[in-house]
């Protein structure tokens, strides 16, 4: 088969895939960009991978902190598959970029974790606010970081999570600016999606939740806030990363903030109203 024929065959094969499967296949072949706006209509997830001996405590932590850590999928021990989220899904290759943590520090940010996978690992997939953005856009509400092709800005706060075992620390929030009337509508829209963080945890006054400089996010990219807009903050699934850092866990793997797992679940399946 000629090189041109192979390229045409690959292009045809990709065209036959669903948007979610195509997104995961793109990650396997090197796509390492933000997934905001990718595979619209499909649920995206944050990732936390931990040794089995810590999995029960982390599961409890998520149960105690459902706003920042709503679990939408979990693997069996040592199994990189989560069939409920995608029949062909491989948690080791299907995100754009990962973070490998040792003793609370990020040591690597690879595009796959094949070399780091172990038989004692358990993968947790946590709901992501990218999922409710489809509903916001459908309601005519603008999403600044999507318009600018940036990662959503995320901040560590002074809002303490309820601890469980070694897991304790501050909640991380994501921010989207809106005009006040649109902010009220955003509360109403996102309240329908508790499995992906639900309603905001704070509106306006970032300093009151421990954010010293709104223009310097701890994760993601800064976005402009107009004079007639207020920042609106949602609990964020990057919270486990601040907790892993605080606990100085010997080993863990997460996603790189803003670069998520695209699942085969549909956003509309998560709406409660």
């Amino acid at each position: 088969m000629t090189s041109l024929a192979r390229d045409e065959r690959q292009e045809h094969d990709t065209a036959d895939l669903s948007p979610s499967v195509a997104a995961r296949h793109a990650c396997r072949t090197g796509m390492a960009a933000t997934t905001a706006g990718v595979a619209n209509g499909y649920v995206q997830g944050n990732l936390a991978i931990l040794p089995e001996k810590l999995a029960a405590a982390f599961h409890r932590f998520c149960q105690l902190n459902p706003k920042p850590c709503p679990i939408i999928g979990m693997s069996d021990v040592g199994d990189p598959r989560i069939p409920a989220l995608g029949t062909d899904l491989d948690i080791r290759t299907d995100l754009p970029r990962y973070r490998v943590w040792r003793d609370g520090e990020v040591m690597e940010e690879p595009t796959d974790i094949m070399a780091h996978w172990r038989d004692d690992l358990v993968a947790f997939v946590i709901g992501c606010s990218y999922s409710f953005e489809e509903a916001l856009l459908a309601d005519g509400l603008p999403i600044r970081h999507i318009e600018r092709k940036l990662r959503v800005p995320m901040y560590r706060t002074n809002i303490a999570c309820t601890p469980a075992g070694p897991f304790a620390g501050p909640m991380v929030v994501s921010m989207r600016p809106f005009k006040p009337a649109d902010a009220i509508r955003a509360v109403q829209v996102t309240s329908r999606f508790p499995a992906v963080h639900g309603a905001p945890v704070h509106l306006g006054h970032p300093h009151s939740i421990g954010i010293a400089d709104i223009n310097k996010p701890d994760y993601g990219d800064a976005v402009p806030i107009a004079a007639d807009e207020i920042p609106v903050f949602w609990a964020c699934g990057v919270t486990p990363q601040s907790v892993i850092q605080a606990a100085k866990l010997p080993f863990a793997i997460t996603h790189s903030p803003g670069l998520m797992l695209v699942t085969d679940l549909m956003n509309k399946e998560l709406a409660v109203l």
Side-chain angles (χ1 to χ4, degrees):
M1 184 182 294
T2 67
S3 176
L4 178 59
R6 279 197 302 271
D7 290 345
E8 289 177 346
R9 173 66 180 275
Q10 289 172 352
E11 194 171 309
H12 180 267
D13 290 346
T14 302
D16 291 339
L17 300 175
S18 71
S20 58
V21 175
R24 294 198 296 273
H25 283 208
C27 292
R28 292 177 197 173
T29 56
M31 192 279 281
T34 178
T35 52
V38 171
N40 285 327
Y42 290 88
V43 173
Q44 298 194 26
N46 303 273
L47 179 66
I49 300 175
L50 299 161
E52 181 184 12
K53 64 182 180 181
L54 293 172
F58 183 74
H59 191 272
R60 179 61 175 159
F61 176 81
C62 293
Q63 289 178 319
L64 293 171
N65 299 279
K67 286 287 281 185
C69 301
I71 296 174
I72 60 172
M74 182 177 172
S75 76
D76 290 330
V77 181
D79 191 345
R81 302 169 299 165
I82 308 179
L85 300 183
T87 54
D88 77 327
L89 188 153
D90 189 328
I91 207 69
R92 301 170 299 181
T93 59
D94 289 1
L95 283 79
R97 192 171 293 280
Y98 301 79
R99 285 181 156 185
V100 179
W101 297 76
R102 296 188 187 277
D103 300 319
E105 299 291 337
V106 177
M107 304 305 293
E108 295 182 53
E109 294 201 58
T111 55
D112 72 69
I113 53 169
M114 297 295 289
H116 299 281
W117 189 256
R118 305 182 337 201
D119 291 340
D120 68 331
L121 295 179
V122 179
F124 295 84
V125 180
I126 295 166
C128 170
S129 57
Y130 284 177
S131 292
F132 63 58
E133 289 179 345
E134 178 191 23
L136 293 174
L137 291 169
D139 214 69
L141 300 177
I143 307 294
R144 187 68 38 77
H145 64 270
I146 293 179
E147 294 173 343
R148 300 293 180 100
K149 294 182 170 57
L150 299 170
R151 294 180 299 164
V152 64
M154 294 161 274
Y155 307 83
R156 288 192 296 271
T157 71
N158 59 12
I159 303 171
C161 293
T162 302
F167 300 101
M171 182 187 297
V172 174
V173 295
S174 61
M175 188 278 292
R176 294 156 188 82
F178 290 107
K179 294 181 180 179
D182 287 344
I184 294 170
R185 183 58 185 154
V187 173
Q188 295 170 330
V189 169
T190 58
S191 294
R192 299 173 53 225
F193 296 91
V196 285
H197 306 306
V201 295
H202 187 75
L203 287 80
H205 304 298
H207 62 275
S208 68
I209 57 171
I211 299 171
D213 189 343
I214 196 70
N215 295 310
K216 294 181 178 179
D218 295 296
Y219 314 93
D221 302 307
V223 298
I225 303 173
D228 61 346
E229 293 177 329
I230 61 171
V232 182
F233 300 92
W234 281 265
C236 178
V238 172
T239 296
Q241 300 197 27
S242 72
V243 170
I244 286 169
Q245 184 176 23
K248 299 188 183 302
L249 299 185
F251 178 76
I253 300 172
T254 67
H255 66 295
S256 184
L259 284 70
M260 321 300 294
L261 173 69
V262 180
T263 78
D264 289 345
L265 300 179
M266 300 298 295
N267 290 327
K268 61 186 179 183
E269 297 176 50
L270 301 184
V272 295
L273 296 173

